[in-house]
Amino acid sequence: MDLWHIITLAVIQGVTEFLPISSSAHLILPSVLLGWADQGLAFDVAVHVGTLTAVVWYFRRDVIRLAVAWSADTARRRIGADSALAWAIIAATIPAGLAGLVFNDVIEARLRSGLVIAASTIGFGLVLWWSDAVGRQQRGLPALTLRDALIIGVAQALALIPGTSRSGITMTAALFLGFRREAAARFSFLLSIPLIAAAGLLKTLELLERGNGADWFAIGLGTALSFVSAVVCIHFFLRFLERLGLMPYVIYRLLLGALLLVMLW
């Protein structure tokens, strides 16, 4: 991989992992427009490590607080506000994990096409707009129930469809449930931690099984750039979310999906 290849793909992964605009839709563009070859499994692992480290670092106080509360309250067989949120994250992770185990092969074989990604980018972009338009946006994270978590978790499982956007679909579900934009985004980011960790672990195990040689320069630079771009993305997304709303991302998704359709039709 050349330097420009590394920089472009790492930044794309870092930014699109957390914005509601679909990382798979963006990662298809370099190969279609520039004819780039697949970046390889080792690089995929590297950028996953970078984005995982970014979200854990950015929410480190929340992660530590939730982990300590969950451990203490579980040992004492009680549930407090923080441990309840930790349990909600665990519960919301289960549907996507099970769906991945059951449907991953089918999705890889039948849905990894440019047209599916384009259609999903447009379709779920419109659903995101609908949720932002009709959602009551009155609830904060303390109001999150186990039922809410499971509904958001089932929605997250839809992100297995390429072009959906994991952050986009989880925020969409939370908005339909009446949560404020900031609360929906924070829960989506916290919910990404176990899923990105699991995806990175699976890719790492696959990489170890293959035993291919690694380009350590590409891996190191890709990890660093995906980390930095993800931290910057999370910070500014949360800072301007209430001011700008989600319509800019909806419009962007529609334009991106239309572009992909034109290029791939």
Side-chain angles (χ1 to χ4, degrees), residues 69-94:
W70 182 83
S71 300
D73 287 355
T74 300
R76 297 170 184 171
R77 297 184 179 181
R78 69 180 188 185
I79 297 180
D82 287 334
S83 57
L85 180 55
W87 277 115
I89 293 170
I90 293 171
T93 302
I94 294 173

Side-chain angles (χ1 to χ4, degrees), residues 19 41 60 75 98 139 142 149-150 171 173 178 210 217 228 230:
L19 291 182
L41 187 58
R60 60 194 180 278
L98 293 176
R139 303 173 67 191
L150 289 173
M171 288 183 62
R210 292 185 183 182
F217 173 76
V228 172

Side-chain angles (χ1 to χ4, degrees), residues 41 202-212:
L41 187 58
L202 288 175
K203 287 179 178 291
T204 300
L205 293 175
E206 185 179 348
L207 180 63
L208 292 174
E209 288 179 1
R210 292 185 183 182
N212 293 338

Side-chain angles (χ1 to χ4, degrees), residues 26-162:
H26 286 78
L27 290 173
I28 196 177
L29 288 175
S31 62
V32 172
L33 295 177
L34 304 174
W36 287 355
D38 184 84
Q39 62 269 24
L41 187 58
F43 190 79
D44 281 346
V45 171
V47 293
H48 272 81
V49 170
T51 53
L52 175 62
T53 306
V55 70
V56 170
W57 184 86
Y58 192 89
F59 292 103
R60 60 194 180 278
R61 294 183 181 88
D62 296 296
V63 171
I64 293 172
R65 189 184 73 251
L66 294 176
V68 170
W70 182 83
S71 300
D73 287 355
T74 300
R76 297 170 184 171
R77 297 184 179 181
R78 69 180 188 185
I79 297 180
D82 287 334
S83 57
L85 180 55
W87 277 115
I89 293 170
I90 293 171
T93 302
I94 294 173
L98 293 176
L101 291 174
V102 174
F103 298 110
N104 184 65
D105 291 342
V106 175
I107 291 170
E108 288 289 339
R110 300 184 181 181
L111 297 181
R112 291 285 178 187
S113 73
L115 291 178
V116 169
I117 292 174
S120 299
T121 299
I122 294 172
F124 285 107
L126 292 173
V127 177
L128 177 63
W129 164 77
W130 184 26
S131 68
D132 195 40
V134 305
R136 291 178 286 117
Q137 299 187 27
Q138 297 175 346
R139 303 173 67 191
L141 276 186
L144 185 75
T145 65
L146 181 60
R147 173 181 173 274
D148 296 327
L150 289 173
I151 291 174
I152 295 171
V154 170
Q156 182 173 233
L158 294 175
L160 292 169
I161 301 172

